[in-house]
Amino acid sequence: MVGSALRRGAHAYVYLVSKASHISRGHQHQAWGSRPAAAERAAQRAPGSVVELLGKSYPQDDHSNLTRKVLTRVGRNLHNQQHHPLWLIKERVKEHFYKKYVGRFGTPLFSVYDNLSPVVTTWQNFDSLLIPADHPSRKKGDNYYLNRTHMLRAHTSAHQWDLLHAGLDAFLVVGDVYRRDQIDSQHYPIFHQLEAVRLFSKHELFAGIKDGESLQLFEQSSRSAHKQETHTMEAVKLVEFDLKQTLTRLMAHLFGDELEIRWVDCYFPFTHPSFEMEINFHGEWLEVLGCGVMEQQLVNSAGAQDRIGWAFGLGLERLAMILYDIPDIRLFWCEDERFLKQFCVSNINQKVKFQPLSKYPALINDISFWLPSENYAENDFYDLVRTIGGDLVEKVDLIDKFVHPKTHKTSHCYRITYRHMERTLSQREVRHIHQALQEAAVQLLGVEGRF
């Protein structure tokens, strides 16, 4: 009985998404990217089958929640496409680290890994980073799972343990990461991160410090707001100083020497103490990265028990939108030459200010429905909107919540803004997509329409 219900749901999904995708593709210019047939078929297979991704097969189960929209983006690797704005940011960071941090033999101290597979195990993404089993960041509603054991990485930190275990003590990791999220100009289910890790031996950390040979990295004490229980205060303060100095130099390289920065204490499961860096850009304080002293338990488990280190992670889109004044995150995925040619520069450090493309008028449609009694998550609705509307959807706002006084049923009303970035949309075009979305929401999410 359960199996037949799953099959019916799968068949409904195939029908509705195929229908909606046909409508959506019919109204999107080719510049928004083709949709590989293999990826579409993979997304439409019934639970219990296998999804093919990057040359490997993954059996699906009750945790599988990859959408066709997301699958078509896997392997695009925008950060490796020459003259793409994300590539420019990556190359500027790489150049800075190569020039400023040199090893004993004149070679770069930091090695760079920018082509690691985005498919990781849940152990890599969570357990290796000491993220508890009940931590909310593991929720199916916030991540893209191939199955219960494999997923698309939610952060480049998923590779930290493996690289440390391989014996590396200074590296950068750059790659695409995947998170289910709201829909607006700042959020997209795929974005790109740059991660850095550096470990220090006792000799490296205390070299040049007066009486440094008498100082120690480790002790057994109690954890406080300022340090871990296994670290000496001298070691933590030196690591923290090196981390903040490294990041201050990097931001000055990207934004200029006059940049004003500040540090905000925060929490991450895999670092302590932890900080966020904010920069004052055009009079507004903006958070640009997270960082901290690596949890020694993580470092020890990877086989580097005699070392202490720091790590940081930043979003490439976030930096590019600030640096180049790019207003909408969808632009990074477009193939419009009017956008891309603006970043074809002979010198990666050349200043670029994005010149806006013609902004075509938006069309706004609302959708209201009663929520099912259980198993409704807003990110499921957002994923459905992305799958059906594609990049025609500029943003989705929850504009009204209502609880019926007698039935106690909850109603949501969402306002969906449609806007093509290369031409004017007609209301007729949008109406077809919006109707397909209404039908899919009823069939796939179990909502009761108020259309």
Side-chain angles (χ1 to χ4, degrees):
M1 189 170 179
V2 174
S4 63
L6 286 172
R7 283 193 293 274
R8 285 196 300 274
H11 292 156
Y13 181 82
V14 170
Y15 168 73
L16 288 165
V17 173
S18 297
K19 175 182 175 182
S21 299
H22 174 74
I23 294 170
S24 182
R25 281 197 302 274
H27 298 304
Q28 293 189 53
H29 190 274
Q30 189 176 1
W32 288 97
S34 60
R35 303 176 185 273
E40 289 196 31
R41 289 195 299 271
Q44 295 172 1
R45 288 182 181 130
S49 63
V50 172
V51 61
E52 304 283 344
L53 186 60
L54 301 178
K56 293 186 178 181
S57 301
Y58 301 92
Q60 293 182 294
D61 57 27
D62 61 341
H63 239 57
S64 306
N65 66 351
L66 278 179
T67 64
R68 172 190 48 75
K69 167 78 173 179
V70 170
L71 281 170
T72 61
R73 300 302 198 217
V74 177
R76 285 281 299 275
N77 296 329
L78 300 183
H79 61 288
N80 288 335
Q81 292 184 19
Q82 193 170 13
H83 299 301
H84 190 279
L86 300 183
W87 174 85
L88 278 180
I89 297 286
K90 182 196 75 170
E91 291 299 311
R92 291 188 67 189
V93 174
K94 273 176 55 179
E95 179 191 63
H96 174 76
F97 273 87
Y98 280 172
K99 286 183 176 179
K100 292 293 183 182
Y101 306 98
V102 179
R104 285 181 297 171
F105 304 108
T107 55
L109 180 65
F110 286 81
S111 50
V112 178
Y113 300 86
D114 59 8
N115 202 28
L116 299 175
S117 172
V119 178
V120 297
T121 65
T122 52
W123 186 90
Q124 289 174 299
N125 200 79
F126 300 118
D127 300 275
S128 73
L129 296 167
L130 312 178
I131 298 174
D134 60 351
H135 196 275
S137 66
R138 292 177 178 253
K139 287 192 305 183
K140 182 178 173 182
D142 292 339
N143 300 286
Y144 288 105
Y145 285 92
L146 281 83
N147 51 42
R148 283 189 171 271
T149 59
H150 289 80
M151 64 187 296
L152 295 178
R153 63 189 168 210
H155 43 206
T156 46
S157 305
H159 302 287
Q160 268 188 25
W161 191 93
D162 292 316
L163 294 173
L164 291 172
H165 190 63
L168 299 174
D169 55 15
F171 54 83
L172 305 179
V173 179
V174 193
D176 43 339
V177 299
Y178 300 77
R179 295 182 194 171
R180 304 178 79 199
D181 213 333
Q182 65 200 77
I183 301 176
D184 58 33
S185 63
Q186 304 289 319
H187 294 87
Y188 203 78
I190 309 100
F191 58 104
H192 298 75
Q193 280 188 341
L194 185 146
E195 179 102 4
V197 166
R198 184 174 185 186
L199 298 185
F200 300 88
S201 66
K202 176 183 172 181
H203 172 73
E204 289 169 331
L205 190 63
F206 296 131
I209 302 295
K210 185 179 180 181
D211 299 324
E213 63 275 4
S214 65
L215 300 176
Q216 301 297 323
L217 296 179
F218 306 112
E219 66 179 11
Q220 285 303 319
S221 59
S222 57
R223 177 173 289 238
S224 70
H226 305 290
K227 70 179 218 51
Q228 298 170 38
E229 59 274 19
T230 56
H231 294 158
T232 65
M233 186 61 76
E234 295 85 1
V236 168
K237 288 304 177 184
L238 284 172
V239 172
E240 181 182 325
F241 175 79
D242 187 86
L243 168 63
K244 290 181 175 180
Q245 188 180 57
T246 298
L247 290 171
T248 299
R249 287 172 176 166
L250 174 60
M251 290 301 130
H253 171 66
L254 295 175
F255 290 93
D257 293 331
E258 303 304 314
L259 184 70
E260 185 181 0
I261 68 168
R262 69 184 182 190
W263 301 95
V264 179
D265 294 340
C266 65
Y267 167 78
F268 300 113
F270 33 85
T271 55
H272 181 76
S274 303
F275 315 96
E276 287 178 341
M277 173 193 263
E278 295 183 350
I279 64 171
N280 191 336
F281 193 71
H282 296 327
E284 182 180 0
W285 285 102
L286 304 172
E287 183 265 311
V288 291
L289 60 84
C291 62
V293 178
M294 297 181 70
E295 282 284 354
Q296 196 60 37
Q297 183 183 342
L298 189 165
V299 177
N300 291 351
S301 70
Q305 298 91 330
D306 61 339
R307 295 177 181 249
I308 184 174
W310 54 247
F312 75 79
L314 56 83
L316 294 183
E317 279 88 348
R318 178 74 164 156
L319 285 182
M321 292 177 83
I322 296 170
L323 268 173
Y324 304 136
D325 204 19
I326 297 172
D328 194 313
I329 198 169
R330 293 177 299 164
L331 281 164
F332 293 110
W333 293 92
C334 85
E335 297 174 4
D336 190 329
E337 281 301 313
R338 293 175 301 165
F339 173 74
L340 295 174
K341 71 180 182 182
Q342 296 187 41
F343 303 94
C344 289
V345 292
S346 56
N347 181 346
I348 60 173
N349 293 307
Q350 180 178 326
K351 286 190 176 181
V352 177
K353 182 174 173 58
F354 170 63
Q355 299 301 314
L357 311 180
S358 299
K359 192 162 186 177
Y360 295 96
L363 292 174
I364 295 173
N365 285 251
D366 293 349
I367 179 171
S368 301
F369 45 75
W370 297 105
L371 306 189
S373 57
E374 58 184 11
N375 296 329
Y376 175 81
E378 280 191 46
N379 280 344
D380 290 337
F381 177 66
Y382 295 145
D383 260 357
L384 190 63
V385 174
R386 289 190 190 278
T387 297
I388 291 175
D391 286 341
L392 296 182
V393 178
E394 180 174 271
K395 66 176 179 175
V396 177
D397 294 313
L398 176 60
I399 60 171
D400 184 60
K401 284 185 180 181
F402 169 71
V403 178
H404 196 284
K406 293 183 179 179
T407 65
H408 303 295
K409 293 172 67 174
T410 300
S411 169
H412 279 188
C413 180
Y414 295 90
R415 177 154 293 165
I416 303 177
T417 302
Y418 297 89
R419 191 198 307 268
H420 204 302
M421 304 188 79
E422 297 174 28
R423 64 179 179 82
T424 300
L425 284 173
S426 71
Q427 185 61 257
R428 180 175 176 274
E429 292 175 296
V430 170
R431 186 168 61 249
H432 284 303
I433 298 170
H434 200 71
Q435 287 173 347
L437 174 60
Q438 291 173 334
E439 185 179 352
V442 171
Q443 293 289 329
L444 302 178
L445 301 182
V447 304
E448 181 183 341
R450 302 181 67 190
F451 315 138

